[in-house]
Amino acid sequence: MQKAFSYRFYPTTEQESLLRRTLGCVRLVYNRALAARTEAWYERKERLDYVQTSALLTQWKKQDDLQFLNEVSCVPLQQALRHLQSAFTNFFAGRAKYPNFKKKRNGGSAEFTKSAFRWKDGKVFLAKCNEPLNIPWSRRLPDGVEPSTVTIRLNPAGQWYINLRFDDPRELTLQPVDPSVGLDVGISSLITLSTGEKIANPKHFNRYYKRLRKAQRSLSRKQKGSRNWDKARLKVAKIHQKISDSRKDHLHQLTTRLIRENQTIIIESLAVKNMVKNRQLARSISDAGWGELVRQLEYKAQWYGRTLVKIDRWFPSSKRCGQCGHIVERLPLSVREWDCPKCGAHHDRDINAARNILAVGHTVTVCGAGVRPDRHTSGGQLRRSRKSQK
């Protein structure tokens, strides 16, 4: 199984100078290739691919004003062209927007394949560097394993990170357990479990909101492009990085606990990209990190031999009575508790939704198909998807 471990590292002055030049060259090559492909299409209706942009890179290296491209490793430059090709492939497949130009203030990254780095005695030596990178190892790679790809990344806060990709031969499957759990994500409570437990939303953005607002006001008073503006921008970026780090740390602890305690985890397949279009809830939804929560559950379930089931996002988990199955027509978000008009059962909105998700998740597991309400029936009865009917 392919994995990637990320570490923060602290380069020396010489290493940082070389790495910054490498990132600058990668950014220049990517932007020039993107401009060339865009120009070729709009002016001559031609499509350039990776092979043609690679030939352009060879020509650029021969120009007098671009001789500095020869001072860094050629591998990250070629990898930048491959990444651009992947970006266009995703664009033409409808999975992404048109590629954007890279900006210096966003940091950047450079990918080194095996020919551009050495792995010796548990240390990383990059091309054109005589000293290994200073990496405080929070966790070691498995014994006998060497990374296949190394990615150097500089974030907007000025922090250096290294990603090591490798093939993990270890068997990490956990011992099977009996419990299964349904999860209902929310804002006031980050997730509600079908067991009745509610895990509060830490609201990391609110913790740093005053500091961030003060830093952004200071940034707005600076002349754009000046040194003071760059210092103020760095302060804002560091606060954003703290928010992101605290959110990821909390989600890692939470998802690891869920994976260890449950054999099957059932959750709704949410369209977070569409949900953040709601102006009133966009910031709260983004701060909750629902997409990152699901992403971590997916790969950790694969690592440790657990099962993650996603049910249809249109399943009325909150509106459906967990006792008799009656579906109410309307249930505003402000209503947190309600009584079933048919059987009189009293429900906590989130706990009822989590239990309904758990119940329908077992159906999805058995039938291998999603379950959603039939909008063409007056009672909103449930129906199985066409896939299960074939």
Side-chain angles (χ1 to χ4, degrees):
M1 182 180 299
Q2 276 209 343
K3 293 184 179 180
F5 286 173
S6 181
Y7 307 89
R8 187 174 176 183
F9 73 98
Y10 303 88
T12 63
T13 304
E14 294 78 7
Q15 289 174 342
E16 183 171 4
S17 175
L18 176 62
L19 290 176
R20 285 187 179 274
R21 280 186 285 137
T22 302
L23 295 184
C25 292
V26 168
R27 183 172 59 252
L28 182 142
V29 169
Y30 185 95
N31 290 345
R32 277 195 167 230
L34 175 56
R37 296 182 68 150
T38 303
E39 180 183 356
W41 173 253
Y42 282 105
E43 291 188 0
R44 302 184 299 275
K45 297 300 179 181
E46 296 179 2
R47 283 191 179 181
L48 302 183
D49 57 10
Y50 164 75
V51 176
Q52 293 166 309
T53 52
S54 181
L56 287 177
L57 174 59
T58 303
Q59 297 176 9
W60 295 337
K61 287 184 175 181
K62 296 177 181 179
Q63 297 179 13
D64 294 336
D65 58 337
L66 296 178
Q67 285 299 307
F68 56 85
L69 292 178
N70 298 297
E71 298 176 1
V72 301
S73 174
C74 63
V75 173
L77 307 184
Q78 293 290 344
Q79 292 299 102
L81 298 180
R82 290 189 174 93
H83 294 163
L84 179 61
Q85 180 63 36
S86 299
F88 271 102
T89 301
N90 292 332
F91 167 71
F92 290 124
R95 294 189 294 266
K97 295 182 179 179
Y98 194 82
N100 292 324
F101 291 100
K102 293 183 179 294
K103 299 179 180 178
K104 183 178 180 180
R105 66 171 178 265
N106 294 337
S109 62
E111 188 175 86
F112 297 79
T113 57
K114 273 194 171 182
S115 60
F117 73 91
R118 285 189 301 122
W119 175 261
K120 184 179 180 181
D121 299 331
K123 297 180 181 179
V124 179
F125 295 80
L126 293 180
K128 300 183 182 295
C129 286
N130 297 324
E131 298 180 7
L133 297 180
N134 180 18
I135 306 173
W137 297 98
S138 55
R139 54 178 173 178
R140 289 285 179 176
L141 269 61
D143 294 335
V145 170
E146 294 186 3
S148 60
T149 305
V150 168
T151 302
I152 301 297
R153 179 168 53 89
L154 176 65
N155 65 17
Q159 299 169 343
W160 290 95
Y161 287 87
I162 181 171
N163 295 343
L164 305 179
R165 187 188 304 169
F166 61 94
D167 289 321
D168 193 350
R170 297 174 299 174
E171 178 60 43
L172 300 177
T173 303
L174 297 174
Q175 291 293 329
V177 293
D178 294 330
S180 299
V181 67
L183 306 181
D184 179 61
V185 298
I187 294 176
S188 57
S189 297
L190 180 59
I191 60 171
T192 302
L193 280 63
S194 54
T195 57
E197 180 184 359
K198 291 187 177 182
I199 298 177
N201 185 0
K203 297 183 179 179
H204 306 281
F205 185 86
N206 291 348
R207 287 169 49 197
Y208 293 92
Y209 178 68
K210 290 184 179 179
R211 291 174 57 186
L212 181 61
R213 184 174 62 177
K214 182 178 179 181
Q216 287 178 330
R217 283 181 176 177
S218 176
L219 175 62
S220 66
R221 299 189 187 102
K222 304 294 188 294
Q223 182 180 358
K224 190 171 183 179
S226 65
R227 294 196 64 179
N228 286 335
W229 176 86
D230 193 58
K231 292 177 183 178
R233 181 201 61 80
L234 195 61
K235 288 183 180 180
V236 173
K238 286 182 177 180
I239 296 175
H240 276 295
Q241 190 64 35
K242 285 185 178 180
I243 296 172
S244 176
D245 289 343
S246 58
R247 182 186 299 118
K248 282 188 177 181
D249 180 67
H250 178 261
L251 291 177
H252 272 298
Q253 296 182 42
L254 177 59
T255 52
T256 299
R257 175 203 156 187
L258 293 172
I259 289 293
R260 291 188 181 279
E261 294 179 354
N262 303 279
Q263 183 65 34
T264 304
I265 300 174
I266 305 164
I267 194 169
E268 290 177 305
S269 58
L270 301 174
V272 180
K273 185 178 179 180
N274 296 332
M275 298 173 73
V276 294
K277 294 178 181 179
N278 186 330
R279 280 185 163 183
Q280 284 72 30
L281 298 176
R283 192 175 80 180
S284 298
I285 292 174
S286 299
D287 188 35
W290 294 343
E292 178 66 14
L293 172 70
V294 176
R295 187 189 73 86
Q296 292 185 13
L297 287 174
E298 284 178 337
Y299 77 76
K300 289 181 181 180
Q302 185 180 8
W303 284 7
Y304 300 113
R306 300 307 197 206
T307 303
L308 180 68
V309 178
K310 292 183 181 180
I311 68 170
D312 195 289
R313 71 187 65 161
W314 300 110
F315 175 71
S317 57
S318 300
K319 298 180 180 180
R320 186 173 185 264
C321 174
Q323 299 292 331
C324 65
H326 176 75
I327 301 175
V328 296
E329 293 183 1
R330 189 171 178 272
L331 192 65
L333 286 174
S334 58
V335 178
R336 308 314 302 174
E337 296 183 2
W338 59 284
D339 296 319
C340 178
K342 188 173 183 180
C343 66
H346 182 74
H347 297 295
D348 178 285
R349 179 192 184 105
D350 298 332
I351 297 176
N352 176 66
R355 290 173 177 171
N356 283 332
I357 290 172
L358 175 63
V360 77
H362 288 309
T363 304
V364 172
T365 305
V366 173
C367 300
V371 179
R372 62 183 297 175
D374 191 346
R375 297 181 179 181
H376 300 289
T377 59
S378 59
Q381 299 172 356
L382 297 179
R383 63 176 172 84
R384 292 180 182 174
S385 64
R386 294 180 180 177
K387 182 179 177 181
S388 63
Q389 295 174 358
K390 292 182 180 180

